[in-house]
């Protein structure tokens, strides 16, 4: 796999990344659909779609990149049971305190850890800033991070935005890194209880971010499968497909369960 990048979208934010001989799993969610999960302070969401690949059908995973542990659409019960079986888990410092597992590394935004193995190229993982809601919401919504993964074997850097609204700190990422592939968490999360307040990016935010970052490939994920998404997949696709051709050609749509080289 050296020099190649392969993605498998499992559902929601859950993505299998194969790069330079490593298998990385982002935000493991493998519960069946139909259940309502609480998100705190009276908010909740129903899982509408199950995973395209079952947890028992996964290949061996080397690293889990967990943007946050306290929302079930990013870590559900089946995903939580998987964590002790994985050699490394990288997440927020708050998640590391709550999970209390020796294999979990907690990072603050802009801090870095390395994934090492004598038989594979080293991966450098840097946490990136997120704000999972409107200004001032961090005490309520909790800490979230994205991740920049830098392979050392020639494959370009991968940025997973994590669950975030569009904030100025996101523009710092392309100043610090040359991003080859950007994984965008979208869907425009809203809850009836909080009305128009948004807790993740929508298609227009994605377009602005692609224009700012100018990655070779931009991959939308985490925009379907839950009732708290307020921008339907068809509307998101319409927004991104209506962009100018140069930008539109950067966007790669993944078919759940189907390995895609990007």
């Amino acid at each position: 796999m050296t020099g190649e990048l392969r993605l498998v979208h499992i559902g929601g934010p859950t993505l299998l990344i194969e790069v330079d001989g490593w298998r990385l799993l982002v935000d493991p969610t493998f519960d069946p659909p139909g259940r309502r999960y609480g998100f705190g302070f009276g908010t909740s969401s129903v899982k509408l779609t199950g995973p395209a690949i079952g947890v028992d059908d996964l290949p061996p995973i080397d690293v889990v990149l967990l943007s946050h542990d306290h929302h079930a659409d990013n870590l559900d019960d089946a995903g939580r049971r998987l964590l002790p079986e994985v050699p490394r888990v990288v997440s927020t410092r708050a998640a590391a305190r709550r999970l209390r597992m020796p294999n979990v590394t907690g990072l603050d935004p802009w801090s870095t850890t390395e994934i090492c193995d004598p038989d594979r190229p080293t991966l450098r993982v840097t946490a990136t800033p997120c704000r999972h809601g409107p200004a001032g919401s961090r005490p309520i919504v909790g800490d979230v991070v994205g991740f920049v993964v830098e392979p050392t074997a020639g494959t370009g850097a991968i940025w997973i935005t994590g669950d975030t609204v569009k904030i100025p700190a996101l523009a710092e990422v392309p100043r610090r890194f040359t991003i080859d592939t950007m994984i965008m968490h979208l869907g425009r999360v809203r809850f009836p209880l909080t009305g128009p307040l948004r807790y993740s990016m929508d298609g227009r935010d994605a377009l602005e971010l692609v224009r700012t970052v100018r990655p070779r490939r931009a991959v939308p994920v985490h925009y379907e499968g839950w009732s708290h998404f307020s921008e339907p997949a068809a509307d998101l696709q319409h927004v991104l497909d209506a962009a100018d051709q140069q930008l539109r050609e950067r966007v790669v749509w993944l078919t759940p369960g189907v390995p895609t080289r990007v």
Side-chain angles (χ1 to χ4, degrees):
M1 289 294 297
T2 299
E4 295 183 353
L5 174 62
R6 190 170 76 157
L7 305 178
V8 184
H9 187 205
I10 294 172
T14 308
L15 185 71
L16 177 62
I17 301 173
E18 294 182 308
V19 60
D20 291 348
W22 297 94
R23 291 192 183 100
L24 316 178
L25 186 66
V26 181
D27 287 353
T29 57
F30 292 93
D31 285 358
R35 177 178 162 191
R36 180 176 292 276
Y37 297 80
F39 285 78
F41 295 91
T43 61
S44 65
S45 183
V46 176
K47 186 171 186 178
L48 304 174
T49 306
I53 298 173
V55 67
D56 294 333
D57 297 320
L58 288 174
I61 301 299
D62 300 300
V63 183
V64 164
L65 301 178
L66 178 60
S67 64
H68 56 302
D69 68 310
H70 53 284
H71 291 158
D73 61 327
N74 297 84
L75 181 67
D76 61 15
D77 293 344
R80 196 174 292 270
R81 289 192 294 269
L82 174 68
L83 297 185
E85 304 174 13
V86 177
R88 289 286 303 275
V89 177
V90 184
S91 191
T92 64
R93 289 195 182 276
R97 289 193 298 269
R98 285 188 290 260
L99 292 170
R100 295 185 178 184
M101 298 179 188
N103 59 337
V104 179
T105 299
L107 298 179
D108 292 320
W110 305 124
S111 60
T112 295
T113 189
E114 290 189 341
I115 311 298
C116 302
D117 182 274
D119 299 321
R120 287 175 286 188
T122 296
L123 297 181
R124 183 178 174 90
V125 178
T126 300
T128 59
C130 292
R131 195 183 76 209
H132 197 4
S137 65
R138 191 180 303 277
I140 297 173
V141 299
D143 291 336
V144 181
V145 291
F147 301 98
V148 170
V149 179
E150 295 177 277
T152 59
T155 307
I158 305 157
W159 179 26
I160 301 131
T161 65
D163 288 7
T164 184
V165 295
K166 194 167 182 294
I167 54 175
L170 300 184
E172 182 65 23
V173 174
R175 298 189 188 111
R176 297 184 182 223
F177 306 93
T178 300
I179 302 299
D180 178 82
T181 302
M182 180 168 65
I183 312 298
M184 305 181 293
H185 287 208
L186 304 176
R188 195 172 62 200
V189 168
R190 286 179 176 166
F191 298 99
L193 185 67
T194 55
L197 298 180
R198 296 193 299 146
Y199 297 86
S200 66
M201 293 187 289
D202 63 10
R204 295 187 183 280
D205 296 326
L207 285 180
E208 292 181 22
L209 199 59
V210 174
R211 291 190 179 103
T212 299
V213 177
R214 303 191 67 80
R216 181 180 62 88
R217 292 288 182 261
V219 181
V221 298
H222 208 22
Y223 57 86
E224 43 66 50
W226 287 82
S227 65
H228 62 334
F229 292 125
S230 70
E231 185 174 46
D235 292 356
L236 171 63
Q237 186 157 2
H238 176 75
V239 170
L240 296 183
D241 287 351
D244 62 84
Q245 182 178 355
Q246 187 178 43
L247 190 151
R248 187 170 62 244
E249 289 177 348
R250 297 174 188 266
V251 178
V252 175
W253 296 94
L254 301 179
T255 300
V258 178
T260 303
R261 292 184 181 181
V262 297

